[in-house]
């Protein structure tokens, strides 16, 4: 083991040695195995370990209250001495502000929030841009007679959004999605609900079933592990869903027959780039913002259903992507801006 123990589920990958770059990973609450946000971060450190002499230790906080202690334990460790601590998720922000000041010689990176310190590299994403794209797709398809895989549309122009917790970050997903739907047609109804949890598939399924039963053709989730319940509901009623963070038609192939697309958020690239900067001795405590233009987010068509999506839809999405990148479409980040 790599010198960290105690309040959370922990594990190491590879052998911790003095001649390698040692990385500590503090994941978002919800943990690994979400086939989404945390697993994308894990993929990033695995890719770095494949590419470079990198060893890493995983820490999975069971609640937000454990985050500060885990950050501190990594920073205080001397066996090994961690070259970089990757702090995954917005819940890390306040503890990291304190720990970055307390441990000025420790390099940190954080995803989904910013910490203004020379020893912290911050990575944020324009989630609203990718969400606009999948909303645009959902809005176009709900107006069509469309069937593919295990799903088909009905006669109602209705779509849905399921969030994990109602926090500003997830509201960016919702705002972008609703703007994309409206770009297709302002008269389309968008049903919205928050599960209040990141790892409650049963709650996600219950919410999505209600939306489908009230006419929704497509439901997009930004709810971590809760989202697998949305896919279960889509299969149960023969409708469609949209994944998030990872290409969930690949990470959850058992639901590929209802996943039209996923709003992929390249957390893996953020983690990889931060580790690479340490390996190359080019670490910089700056803020990096990744959107459609830098391929930080993207609408990725489902592995099984992508080829069935009409060309008129894919061409429309290509055009709206280009308009967003060019600044011709300004995507809102808050519901109040809609």
């Amino acid at each position: 083991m790599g010198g960290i123990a105690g309040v959370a589920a922990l594990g190491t990958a590879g052998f911790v040695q003095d001649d390698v770059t040692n990385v500590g990973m503090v994941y978002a609450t919800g943990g690994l195995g979400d086939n989404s946000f945390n697993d994308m971060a894990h993929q990033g450190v695995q890719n770095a370990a494949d590419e470079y002499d990198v060893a890493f230790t995983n820490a999975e906080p069971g609640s937000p209250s454990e985050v500060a202690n885990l950050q501190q334990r990594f920073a205080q460790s001397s066996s090994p001495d961690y070259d970089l601590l990757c702090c995954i998720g917005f819940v890390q922000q306040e503890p990291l502000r304190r720990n970055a000041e307390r441990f000025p010689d420790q390099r940190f990176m954080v995803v989904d929030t910013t910490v203004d310190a020379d020893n912290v590299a911050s990575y944020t994403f324009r989630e609203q841009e990718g969400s606009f794209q999948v909303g645009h797709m959902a809005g176009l398809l709900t107006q069509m007679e469309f069937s593919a895989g295990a799903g088909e549309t009905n006669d109602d122009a209705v779509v849905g959004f399921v969030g994990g917790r109602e926090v500003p970050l997830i509201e960016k997903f919702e705002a972008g999605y609703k703007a994309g739907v409206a770009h297709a047609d302002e008269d389309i109804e968008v049903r919205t609900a928050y599960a209040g949890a990141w790892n409650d598939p049963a709650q996600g399924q219950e919410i999505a079933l209600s939306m489908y039963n009230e006419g929704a053709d497509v439901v997009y989730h930004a709810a971590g592990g809760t989202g697998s319940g949305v896919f279960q509901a889509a299969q149960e009623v023969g409708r469609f869903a949209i994944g998030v963070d990872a290409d969930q038609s690949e990470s959850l192939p058992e639901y590929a027959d209802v996943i039209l697309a996923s709003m992929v958020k390249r957390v893996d690239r953020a983690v990889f780039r931060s580790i690479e900067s340490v390996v190359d001795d080019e670490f910089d405590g700056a803020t990096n913002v990744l959107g459609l233009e830098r391929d930080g987010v993207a609408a990725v068509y489902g592995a099984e259903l992508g080829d069935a999506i009409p060309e008129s839809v894919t061409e429309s999405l290509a055009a709206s992507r280009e308009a967003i990148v060019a600044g011709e479409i300004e995507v809102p980040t808050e519901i109040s801006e809609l």
Side-chain angles (χ1 to χ4, degrees), residues 162 193-195 200-214 219 226-234 236-237:
V162 177
Y194 283 81
D200 190 348
Q203 179 73 349
Q205 183 178 17
E206 182 180 343
I207 292 171
L209 279 174
S210 175
M211 291 179 176
Y212 290 126
N213 289 333
E214 293 174 350
V219 176
T226 299
S228 63
V230 175
F231 303 145
Q232 292 169 16
E236 185 175 332
V237 299

Side-chain angles (χ1 to χ4, degrees), residues 35-105:
N35 297 290
S36 184
F37 181 68
N38 280 316
D39 283 1
M40 285 291 280
H42 188 230
Q43 186 62 56
V45 71
Q46 287 182 310
N47 291 344
D50 290 341
E51 183 79 15
Y52 301 107
D53 290 329
V54 168
F56 61 93
T57 305
N58 290 331
E60 300 175 57
S63 69
S65 64
E66 297 177 1
V67 168
N69 192 30
L70 288 171
Q71 292 176 2
Q72 181 178 326
R73 287 178 181 224
F74 275 121
Q76 289 177 326
S77 173
S78 59
S79 180
D81 182 8
Y82 286 92
D83 300 289
L84 178 70
L85 304 188
C86 295
C87 302
I88 310 303
F90 64 87
V91 74
Q92 311 264 352
Q93 184 185 50
E94 289 305 319
L96 182 53
R97 281 178 176 162
R98 298 190 296 270
N99 283 322
E101 183 176 357
R102 183 178 178 184
F103 303 100
D105 295 329

